[in-house]
């Protein structure tokens, strides 16, 4: 199933500039996210003048938002997903304005309301970031 930006609003609590996915596709237990880097993003302002690159923490957030779509889809907007950890993150190549950043994420383990995921991000089939991360599902309200 593919979710566009409007449909992603029903999956994730993120709004405004912090909703970092343009679309996400869930297929066979994996989430495939997409973000076009236009050059107008708030996080490029000053990072770095004259040679903008997407900060690593933003790449990690895009991965996490992609993975959250895997579990949020079945929760009917009843929960928020909160980042709880990053591990084994490696940055391999830069992501710049004009790039289309694609993610591939999967859930590898769950313990109660904690989910553990692994993800990778690419531009033109070139690995840019990989890592493991966790998040918790917290009831809204």
């Amino acid at each position: 199933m593919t979710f566009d930006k409007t449909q992603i609003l029903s999956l994730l609590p993120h709004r405004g500039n912090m909703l970092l996915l343009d679309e996400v596709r869930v297929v066979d237990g994996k989430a495939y996210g997409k973000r076009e880097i236009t050059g107008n993003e708030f996080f490029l302002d000053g990072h770095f003048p004259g040679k903008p690159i997407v900060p690593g923490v933003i790449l990690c957030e895009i991965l996490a938002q992609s993975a959250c779509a895997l579990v949020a889809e079945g929760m009917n907007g009843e929960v928020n997903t909160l980042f709880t950890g990053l591990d084994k993150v490696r940055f391999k190549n830069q992501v710049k304005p004009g790039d289309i950043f694609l993610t591939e994420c999967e859930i590898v383990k769950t313990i109660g309301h904690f989910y553990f995921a692994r993800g990778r991000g690419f531009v033109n089939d070139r690995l840019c970031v990989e890592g493991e991360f966790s998040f918790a599902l917290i009831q809204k309200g």
Side-chain angles (χ1 to χ4, degrees):
M1 172 169 254
T2 300
F3 301 92
D4 64 20
K5 199 153 194 156
T6 302
Q7 294 165 317
I8 293 169
L9 292 171
S10 69
L11 300 177
L12 300 176
H14 303 77
R15 297 294 182 264
N17 290 334
M18 285 309 297
L19 180 59
L20 298 173
L21 290 172
D22 294 327
E23 69 179 49
V24 64
R25 204 168 28 98
V26 177
V27 179
D28 296 329
K30 290 189 178 182
Y32 300 91
K34 177 182 174 184
R35 171 64 189 235
E36 182 178 350
I37 307 300
T38 65
N40 297 319
E41 291 83 1
F42 74 94
F43 48 79
L44 292 175
D45 185 28
H47 195 268
F48 297 101
K51 190 173 181 181
I53 61 170
V54 178
V57 68
I58 296 294
L59 298 177
C60 291
E61 178 66 26
I62 296 169
L63 287 174
Q65 288 184 22
S66 298
C68 287
L70 287 168
V71 295
E73 177 185 15
M75 300 294 172
N76 299 321
E78 301 289 323
V79 297
N80 282 331
T81 50
L82 301 175
F83 227 153
T84 57
L86 289 168
D87 195 23
K88 300 178 186 170
V89 175
R90 298 291 179 262
F91 302 104
K92 305 290 187 174
N93 288 288
Q94 297 175 355
V95 179
K96 303 174 185 175
D99 287 343
I100 296 176
F101 182 65
L102 302 175
T103 68
E104 178 183 293
C105 299
E106 62 185 330
I107 304 298
V108 294
K109 177 171 72 172
T110 61
I111 300 174
H113 65 276
F114 290 95
Y115 287 74
F116 299 83
R118 179 176 30 242
R120 301 182 303 163
F122 303 87
V123 172
N124 295 325
D125 295 322
R126 188 181 74 232
L127 181 64
C128 297
V129 61
E130 61 185 345
E132 298 174 4
F133 43 95
S134 59
F135 54 94
L137 298 183
I138 305 298
Q139 286 296 121
K140 286 184 178 177

